[in-house]
Amino acid sequence: MEIKFILNKKAVTIDVDPMKRLLDVLRENFGLMGSKEGCGEGECGTCTVLLDGKPITSCITNAIHAEGKEVLTVEGIALEEDGKLLIECFDETNAVQCGFCFPGFLVSSYYYLQTDGDEDLEKIKTALSGNICRCTGYQKIFDSVLLACKRK
Amino acid sequence: MKFFKPANLNDFFEITAKIKKNIYFLAGGTDINVQIKNNLLSEANIIFINNLPELKGIYQENDQIVFGALTTFRELINSSLVKKHLPLLSDNLQNFASPLIQTSATIGGNIANGSPTADIMPLLMILDANLIIAGKAGSHQININDFYHGYKQNKLNKGEVIKEIRINRDALTDVSTFYQKVGARKTLTIAKVTLAGLMKITHGKIEQINLAVGSLNEYARRLPQLEAYLTGKTKQQINLEKLKTILAKEITPISDLRSEKEYRFSVCLNLIRTFVE
Ligand SMILES: Cc1cc2nc3c(=O)[nH]c(=O)nc-3n(C[C@H](O)[C@H](O)[C@H](O)COP(=O)(O)OP(=O)(O)OC[C@H]3O[C@@H](n4cnc5c(N)ncnc54)[C@H](O)[C@@H]3O)c2cc1C
Ligand code: FES
Ligand code: FES
């Protein structure tokens, strides 16, 4: 089936099984390897992208869900001002260890910075509660987002 | 797996009428995609309903708040109409699943899936929500408290869809409410016990009380015998032993990997006491 959507601000059209997971569409059809598969069941957040500006888990979302909508992946976010700011803060705080969870955290943090941005630890914890990191103790991740809120 | 994409409800009825069996609807996809991943749906006919315009929106109609079945949990907790009239819902569903799942998961999907642990169910039950079911022959209404009849078994017939959920706008006027989900952590947690309650006290007596529990039976449900016992009583007249006996008849908790049945019973009893005493 032909599906049209906006991917990282560019209009795209693909011929694809409408049930194909959005995660696989991004990785296989577009070579965007930033979104990762951890659990494949919506629990870990490594596959997080923005769909019409709101964070979703792309592993339990289908190609058809993107039709006519805007998808922003971590690759797109990395080019935005708030994305660059967040990367800088994660870097300075040494918040990333193996890095597998990082794209997902970046997308959720970006959404928080864009829609709220309060320097409020509890709010940040809630905003990132759909993302799991198995290496760090989370504190440095929260510190990075707090720092980004402060600098913005 | 076959795929169908109706443009509107009429189209949906035409399509479903032609398919004999194994029909599954795709709304937000948060339940169905997990089933697909676990190879549970290989022969499925998938009907994409997430774009059906008739199933969208939250609005007020006379004294009713109407939720299209495709309303997502994110839309529900952010709705100013819900915050104003039914804050019990927006306040208590903040921690539903995770912020990521909240974007996609729909209320209609949650109700249709009918998990005994579903967070919203006890709330809809004490609010006496009505479901509008649409089928080729027309629409009919069914109270959420009459919708289930077994583990993940509901009264939808083939070719029918949950179109909307309707709640009385004034359901929370002059009542006190209670909601507690007991789980292992705050987000992404499956409930061990959930209690929702709504109570009206007049001259020191319980004039009306609605109680509903989740995770304690094969489907979430109201506690009609306990409600009947408590109605008309003052707090001093409530007898703990009697409360226990009735509760034991109304809930059938099981032991599983999340907790023991004795624990579930005690927690439920304590939650009820916290609310009424
Ligand atoms: C990581 C994770 C965490 C979760 N946490 C929670 C939680 O904390 N609490 C909780 O209650 N649930 C939780 N869920 C479950 C899930 O998100 C909900 O059940 C969701 O609301 C289902 O809606 P959906 O639109 O995604 O359904 P879909 O997956 O699209 O559909 C589910 C089923 O419902 C049927 N259906 C959908 N819409 C309709 C309709 N309008 N009429 C008739 N049938 C319909 C479909 O045929 C299908 O069988 C969680 C899920 C995941 C993946
Ligand atoms: S891979 Fe999507 S949430 Fe884990
Ligand atoms: S840095 Fe390894 S999972 Fe988060």
Side-chain angles (χ1 to χ4, degrees), chain B residues 8-244:
Chain B
N8 53 43
L9 254 190
N10 275 334
D11 205 13
F12 166 88
F13 297 137
E14 296 302 321
I15 291 174
T16 44
K18 287 189 197 126
I19 306 173
K20 292 215 171 54
K21 54 177 187 179
N22 295 336
I23 301 180
Y24 293 87
F25 305 147
L26 174 63
T30 62
D31 276 324
I32 224 173
N33 279 303
V34 176
Q35 292 166 358
I36 292 174
K37 173 172 182 259
N38 296 315
N39 293 321
L40 298 174
L41 300 188
S42 52
E43 299 294 308
N45 293 296
I46 307 270
I47 305 188
F48 183 63
I49 62 168
N50 210 38
N51 281 356
L52 293 181
E54 297 91 336
L55 272 59
K56 290 195 175 175
I58 306 177
Y59 55 97
Q60 181 171 341
E61 195 178 277
N62 304 320
D63 61 348
Q64 307 267 299
I65 306 291
V66 185
F67 300 85
L70 293 172
T71 301
T72 64
F73 281 86
R74 180 179 287 280
E75 288 163 347
L76 179 134
I77 58 185
N78 290 329
S79 155
S80 49
L81 207 54
V82 177
K83 282 182 195 159
K84 181 164 172 216
H85 296 290
L86 301 169
L88 180 70
L89 292 177
S90 40
D91 290 349
N92 290 306
L93 293 168
Q94 296 287 339
N95 290 325
F96 174 87
S98 80
L100 311 174
I101 303 296
Q102 284 173 9
T103 311
S104 306
T106 66
I107 331 176
N110 201 269
I111 295 171
N113 192 51
S115 163
T117 63
D119 297 332
I120 198 175
M121 225 62 85
L123 293 168
L124 296 179
M125 287 176 164
I126 60 164
L127 292 169
D128 262 321
N130 281 309
L131 308 179
I132 306 298
I133 310 294
K136 203 169 179 180
S139 294
H140 65 276
Q141 179 171 309
I142 180 164
N143 191 280
I144 183 103
N145 292 302
D146 301 322
F147 189 59
Y148 301 102
H149 56 82
Y151 177 71
K152 293 203 169 188
Q153 299 292 309
N154 65 42
K155 293 194 181 155
L156 277 185
N157 295 312
K158 179 182 168 283
E160 286 184 336
V161 66
I162 303 169
K163 181 169 175 279
E164 54 201 38
I165 298 98
R166 290 176 168 259
I167 300 175
N168 184 332
R169 181 197 58 193
D170 304 318
L172 295 176
T173 310
D174 299 331
V175 297
S176 56
T177 58
F178 182 89
Y179 178 79
Q180 192 149 349
K181 166 182 175 177
V182 179
R185 57 200 287 275
K186 203 160 139 193
T187 43
L188 283 174
T189 193
I190 299 177
K192 300 166 185 241
V193 177
T194 307
L195 175 78
L198 172 161
M199 174 163 68
K200 184 168 189 177
I201 307 245
T202 319
H203 306 304
K205 276 190 187 151
I206 301 177
E207 184 184 317
Q208 189 206 345
I209 182 162
N210 298 357
L211 295 170
V213 293
S215 307
L216 292 170
N217 295 85
E218 64 276 31
Y219 50 97
R221 67 183 56 178
R222 287 276 286 273
L223 303 174
Q225 297 178 55
L226 208 56
E227 291 174 4
Y229 169 71
L230 292 167
T231 305
K233 295 216 165 36
T234 62
K235 290 184 180 175
Q236 294 71 28
Q237 288 170 330
I238 299 169
N239 177 302
L240 179 59
E241 285 313 309
K242 191 87 187 163
L243 207 64
K244 274 191 201 164

Side-chain angles (χ1 to χ4, degrees), chain A residues 23 36-48 57-60:
Chain A
L23 175 64
K36 309 260 185 280
E37 175 161 9
C39 64
E41 299 196 356
E43 304 269 356
C44 76
T46 58
C47 63
T48 309
T57 50
S58 63
C59 68
I60 51 169

Side-chain angles (χ1 to χ4, degrees), chain A residues 97-99 101 133-136:
Chain A
Q97 289 187 26
C98 82
C101 67
C133 172
R134 27 180 286 180
C135 299
T136 77

